[in-house]
């Protein structure tokens, strides 16, 4: 993928069964890989917001957006400028750690702004919310320890300023 960069696409869709499957199928049929996917309710019960992260060239993203706009359940699509968006991920990570090294993990939590949400005799579960880079770096640092398991959300993103994905739609 020449000139591939991280791109965030936000899609306002009808809140109906099967929409997620159809959108994901569109990506699959065309050979596009989804790096991150988050689906959530919006301020209006009629719609859901899908935030999809892909690594692709800008012309590929334009093709993706054009295909998405043709979908029956898609209300609106925005290809976010990553410089003008607030995006966050959530990481839950469980690390095997005994008493002697526990203070090291606590120090790392302080440094990264993570929280310990479960502490056992031989492990800790940590929570971190932040940018993709921050989450990536935290996982990289923790890889020096024995990571038992982790779960990571896709990114949630909103464009900065007062504009909104659903702001111009009044159905």
């Amino acid at each position: 993928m020449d000139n591939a960069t991280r791109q965030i696409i936000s899609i306002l869709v009808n809140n109906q069964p099967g929409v997620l499957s159809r959108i994901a199928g569109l990506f699959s049929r065309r050979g596009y890989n989804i790096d991150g996917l988050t689906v959530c309710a919006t301020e209006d019960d009629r719609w859901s917001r899908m935030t999809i992260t892909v690594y692709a060239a800008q012309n590929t993203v334009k093709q993706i957006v054009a295909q998405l706009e043709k979908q029956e359940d898609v209300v609106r699509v925005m290809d976010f400028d990553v410089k003008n968006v607030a995006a966050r991920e959530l990481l839950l990570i469980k690390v095997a750690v005994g008493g002697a090294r526990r203070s090291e993990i606590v120090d790392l939590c302080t440094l990264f702004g993570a929280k310990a949400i479960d502490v056992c005799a031989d492990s800790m579960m940590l929570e971190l919310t932040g940018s993709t880079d921050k989450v990536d770096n935290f996982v990289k640092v923790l890889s020096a320890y024995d990571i038992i398991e982790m779960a990571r959300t896709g990114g949630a993103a909103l464009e900065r300023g007062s504009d909104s994905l659903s702001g111009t739609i009044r159905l």
Side-chain angles (χ1 to χ4, degrees):
M1 277 190 279
D2 293 312
N3 301 320
T5 59
R6 185 171 69 93
Q7 304 286 327
I8 300 171
I9 301 168
S10 189
I11 312 162
L12 191 66
V13 297
N14 291 322
N15 188 7
Q16 299 292 326
V19 174
L20 172 59
S21 177
R22 287 189 290 279
I23 298 297
L26 179 145
F27 278 76
S28 175
R29 286 188 305 277
R30 287 165 178 77
Y32 303 136
N33 188 45
I34 295 174
D35 188 60
L37 170 66
T38 304
V39 183
C40 63
T42 66
E43 66 284 354
D44 188 316
D45 291 346
R46 298 174 290 177
W47 304 316
S48 293
R49 174 187 294 269
M50 299 178 74
T51 304
I52 299 176
T53 305
V54 296
Y55 281 90
Q58 190 59 44
N59 63 336
T60 301
V61 173
K62 287 180 183 178
Q63 291 173 347
I64 293 170
V65 168
Q67 292 297 317
L68 288 168
E69 288 173 336
K70 294 176 185 178
Q71 298 299 303
E72 177 179 322
D73 286 308
V74 171
V75 178
R76 187 164 181 213
V77 181
M78 287 183 72
D79 170 20
F80 284 140
D81 175 355
V82 294
K83 295 178 206 96
N84 196 31
V85 68
R88 297 292 181 266
E89 287 190 36
L90 168 67
L91 168 72
L92 298 177
I93 188 165
K94 194 182 302 180
V95 181
V97 61
R101 297 191 79 191
R102 193 174 304 274
S103 65
E104 295 172 23
I105 300 293
V106 170
D107 289 345
L108 288 172
C109 287
T110 301
L111 182 66
F112 279 89
K115 294 188 279 185
I117 59 172
D118 185 56
V119 179
C120 298
D122 57 354
S123 70
M124 293 178 75
M125 187 185 316
L126 312 171
E127 171 189 321
L128 176 70
T129 304
S131 69
T132 299
D133 289 341
K134 180 179 180 179
V135 173
D136 287 344
N137 288 333
F138 190 57
V139 170
K140 185 176 180 179
V141 168
L142 288 176
S143 68
Y145 300 86
D146 183 17
I147 297 174
I148 298 169
E149 66 180 331
M150 66 181 209
R152 187 171 174 171
T153 67
L158 292 176
E159 188 174 30
R160 296 185 187 277
S162 58
D163 291 341
S164 73
L165 187 62
S166 61
T168 59
I169 301 168
R170 300 288 179 235
L171 300 176

